[in-house]
């Protein structure tokens, strides 16, 4: 395990597998099963993935990371998507670097992604602040919630 220069987050810490290669730090992603470049956003993403698995009992088989989707004919990538046991999107999680403040643009971005995914819940995090929303599809709005419960994915 190598020294990691990333800042502490407002999420539980884990024993990450970090290595140096060609003057870059890489972190092992247990969902994608490969090393990825350790950026501040990736640091948040890996913390949140481990939080879901180790603290919220979310099966790793129901988590997708950094997959492509098409929104308004544009190719986009979501950060984390949790499926329910029926294989339908349940929670979409947007991760930002800790130095990025979460604002209306962030929520608009995840809401656009959700038009293609139709998940029931949205989470936006920069590793320091976390926002949880339940989608009201009928009225095209979201309701803020206090947090995420264990994997039955009821908030």
């Amino acid at each position: 395990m190598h020294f990691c220069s990333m800042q502490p987050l407002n999420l539980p810490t884990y024993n990450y597998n970090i290595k140096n290669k060609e003057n870059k730090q890489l972190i092992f992603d247990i969902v994608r099963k490969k090393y990825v470049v350790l950026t501040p956003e990736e640091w948040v993403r890996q913390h949140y993935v481990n939080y879901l698995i180790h603290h919220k009992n979310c099966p790793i088989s129901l988590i997708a990371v950094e997959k492509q989707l098409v929104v308004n004919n544009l190719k986009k990538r979501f950060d984390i998507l949790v499926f329910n046991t029926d294989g339908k999107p349940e929670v979409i999680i947007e991760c930002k670097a800790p130095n990025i403040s979460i604002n209306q643009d962030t929520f608009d971005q995840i809401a656009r992604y959700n038009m293609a995914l139709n998940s029931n819940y949205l989470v936006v995090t920069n590793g320091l602040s976390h926002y949880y929303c339940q989608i009201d599809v009928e009225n095209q709005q979201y309701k803020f919630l206090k947090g995420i419960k264990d994997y039955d994915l009821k908030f």
Side-chain angles (χ1 to χ4, degrees), residues 59 61-64 78 81-91 116-120 151 153:
S61 61
L62 297 179
I63 300 173
F78 62 76
L81 184 62
V82 179
F83 295 91
N84 63 26
T85 52
D86 294 331
K88 292 185 173 63
E90 186 70 15
V91 182
L117 295 167
N118 294 317
S119 71
N120 295 315
Y151 185 82
L153 290 179

Side-chain angles (χ1 to χ4, degrees), residues 9-63:
L9 300 176
N10 186 14
L11 286 163
T13 58
Y14 303 93
N15 289 322
Y16 294 101
N17 196 349
I18 296 172
K19 69 180 184 178
N20 292 312
K21 185 177 181 185
E22 298 170 8
N23 294 326
K24 288 184 183 167
Q25 281 195 316
L26 305 174
I27 187 166
F28 189 76
D29 181 319
I30 60 174
V31 174
R32 292 178 277 182
K33 295 180 175 54
K34 66 178 184 177
Y35 281 93
V36 294
V37 175
L38 180 56
T39 62
E41 182 180 311
E42 191 63 49
W43 184 238
V44 172
R45 186 168 28 249
Q46 291 306 313
H47 271 73
Y48 213 89
V49 164
N50 278 280
Y51 170 70
L52 289 169
I53 294 166
H54 299 291
H55 283 262
K56 296 301 173 183
N57 302 317
C58 183
I60 194 169
S61 61
L62 297 179
I63 300 173

